[in-house]
Amino acid sequence: LTHRLVAQKSTICADENPAYDGLAFHYDLCRVNHSQEYCSIDGTTNNLAESFFARFRRMIMGVYHKMGNNYMMHYANETAWREDFRYQSDKDKFDNVLKRCLKARPSRDLTGYWQGNKKPTAKFGLESLCLEASNDNQYLAVA
């Protein structure tokens, strides 16, 4: 999943969780040990990711109440947009969304939703690597 969603030669900032060890071979991996420091001497921090996930959890509890994993990319894109533009005025946010809507092509995931066109359940981990080219790239480009 990381190889599908993270560009090659990207820098990934993470904490000391051993789950990230395998990424060091493919990406520039910077670590911060939160038991010793808030951010490393060279400025490495993963606070942007922690802020994103805190906002995402609040959306689940306060806005949506239930999220299916088949539309998780849409929810994640909305959360990222809210995180990126949280300091802009409501007018600027509206203009930004309107420009993106006018630029985007019709969604194959949402067109005909009420007529029964439902997106299949998302696959994670190794199972996700077996998927054919998905429509997610369109939403990543627009986001």
Side-chain angles (χ1 to χ4, degrees):
L1 185 61
T2 305
H3 297 296
R4 280 183 46 209
L5 300 176
V6 179
Q8 290 181 349
K9 300 182 182 175
S10 293
T11 299
I12 297 178
C13 298
D15 57 20
E16 290 294 315
N17 188 324
Y20 302 116
D21 291 346
L23 298 175
F25 183 74
H26 301 284
Y27 302 98
D28 182 20
L29 187 62
C30 299
R31 303 305 260 293
V32 61
N33 185 346
H34 285 303
S35 65
Q36 296 177 356
E37 55 195 359
Y38 172 74
C39 101
S40 67
I41 293 173
D42 65 354
T44 300
T45 181
N46 66 346
N47 292 325
L48 182 61
E50 290 178 6
S51 176
F52 171 84
F53 287 117
R55 194 172 301 275
F56 199 69
R57 281 190 300 273
R58 289 303 308 153
M59 284 177 61
I60 292 170
M61 292 185 285
V63 178
Y64 296 111
H65 306 293
K66 180 183 177 189
M67 293 182 180
N69 69 355
N70 45 347
Y71 294 98
M72 195 61 66
M73 186 64 78
H74 297 288
Y75 294 117
N77 281 337
E78 179 186 352
T79 305
W81 183 87
R82 288 177 184 261
E83 183 75 17
D84 290 346
F85 295 97
R86 67 185 180 272
Y87 296 118
Q88 289 191 0
S89 69
D90 289 340
K91 180 193 178 308
D92 290 341
K93 289 178 190 176
F94 177 80
D95 290 343
N96 185 290
V97 169
L98 183 60
K99 286 177 189 174
R100 290 170 188 266
C101 289
L102 293 173
K103 185 170 71 170
R105 297 182 311 233
S107 167
R108 289 185 294 196
D109 294 339
L110 301 174
T111 302
Y113 179 86
W114 294 109
Q115 290 77 25
N117 179 28
K118 306 289 193 263
K119 188 174 179 180
T121 302
K123 301 196 183 329
F124 298 100
L126 292 176
E127 194 175 355
S128 70
L129 298 175
C130 300
L131 294 175
E132 295 177 16
S134 71
N135 201 26
D136 293 341
N137 290 332
Q138 173 188 346
Y139 300 105
L140 290 171
V142 172

